[in-house]
Amino acid sequence: MLSLANVDSFYGRSQALHAMTISAPRGAVLGILGRNGVGKTTLLRTILGLTDRSEGVIALGGTPIEAFPTHERARAGIAYVPQGRMIIPDFTIRENILMGGFAATGARRIPDIVPELFPYLMDNLDRPGGVLSGGQQQQLAIARALACKPKVLLMDEPTEGIQPNIVAQIEDIIIRLNTELGLTILLVEQNVAFVRRAAKAFAMIEHGTAVESGPIDTLTDAMVHKHMAI
């Protein structure tokens, strides 16, 4: 569904990705692993065209999109749940969700699955997003991304900073988005146990490139220790 071949990416003169080559299987979760600061967020931002420039091939469903501006990549079917959630605090829950659909497709409706996944949001549509807890804001960020009607969902550490009693709910929702909606998901996550439970394949990132990749059952404890231990 989504592939990168020999992609370099830059912030100004600083090169952040080096010959990045990965492939996300259609309708599966690809776990993106690695220590902090190795290029995982930059990988997602590069897919969206949010770095200063990139080189190499980025393909969605076999169609090269590396020349597309960001809004055209969104309209082609890529949605993003960023690290830190980045909801607009003064917008209501309703406005935050609708903004996602308007940005990608021009649609102004809440996706049918949102009430099922996030009943709290539906019961509080007129509350400002800024008053929500971290877990509720993460739910809102996911609902906003779903309003884009994506084919591919990029998720950057979706369980980071979430209260422990909500983490399992977020994890289960991500798995449902994959299994029930058939979404292809690139999941940047430090929780290796969750990645092993949710993902079909993985890519281990080090110094801006993929140093290990393959089916999730080939992710060994030795790999995790080598590339993720502090």
Side-chain angles (χ1 to χ4, degrees):
M1 173 58 76
L2 181 70
S3 63
L4 283 72
N6 295 311
V7 171
D8 300 329
S9 190
F10 301 82
Y11 293 111
R13 295 183 179 180
S14 178
Q15 185 171 354
L17 297 185
H18 303 262
M20 179 67 75
T21 299
I22 63 169
S23 181
R26 183 182 299 272
V29 177
L30 174 66
I32 307 294
L33 298 163
R35 296 182 182 91
N36 291 331
V38 298
K40 302 187 302 296
T41 295
T42 297
L43 167 61
L44 302 188
R45 290 177 58 83
T46 299
I47 292 168
L48 282 165
L50 294 175
T51 59
D52 292 339
R53 65 184 177 93
S54 66
E55 301 169 356
V57 177
I58 303 172
L60 177 66
T63 299
I65 62 168
E66 66 272 3
F68 288 14
T70 297
H71 71 276
E72 290 187 8
R73 300 186 196 200
R75 289 174 182 169
I78 301 176
Y80 184 35
V81 180
Q83 188 176 28
R85 299 172 279 278
M86 295 186 185
I87 61 134
I88 298 179
D90 292 334
F91 277 23
T92 65
I93 290 172
R94 185 195 317 273
E95 289 167 338
N96 270 282
I97 296 173
L98 295 180
M99 180 180 63
F102 181 76
T105 66
R108 293 180 179 270
R109 63 183 302 272
I110 296 174
D112 293 338
I113 196 170
V114 168
E116 180 182 349
L117 292 178
F118 309 117
Y120 176 85
L121 299 183
M122 295 303 296
D123 291 341
N124 294 274
L125 285 172
D126 295 321
R127 294 195 75 191
V131 305
L132 302 180
S133 69
Q136 291 162 349
Q137 288 189 9
Q138 187 63 275
Q139 293 177 7
L140 180 54
I142 295 171
R144 179 183 59 193
L146 294 177
C148 300
K149 297 183 178 179
K151 301 173 185 174
V152 176
L153 189 57
L154 311 180
M155 309 193 80
D156 196 353
E157 304 221 19
T159 64
E160 181 187 40
I162 304 298
Q163 52 269 47
N165 62 317
I166 303 296
V167 167
Q169 295 179 28
I170 297 293
E171 292 179 352
D172 288 343
I173 285 166
I174 292 168
I175 291 172
R176 287 186 63 185
L177 293 176
N178 171 241
T179 58
E180 296 180 20
L181 296 186
L183 285 178
T184 302
I185 299 175
L186 269 69
L187 176 65
V188 170
E189 184 55 72
Q190 295 287 343
N191 185 335
V192 176
F194 172 42
V195 171
R196 282 180 164 144
R197 184 163 69 97
K200 181 177 181 180
F202 78 96
M204 186 71 72
I205 309 302
E206 188 89 56
H207 303 303
T209 195
V211 293
E212 309 270 10
S213 62
I216 195 64
D217 59 6
T218 66
L219 175 63
T220 66
D221 291 342
M223 285 182 197
V224 171
H225 181 77
K226 178 179 179 180
H227 298 293
M228 296 185 70
I230 303 301

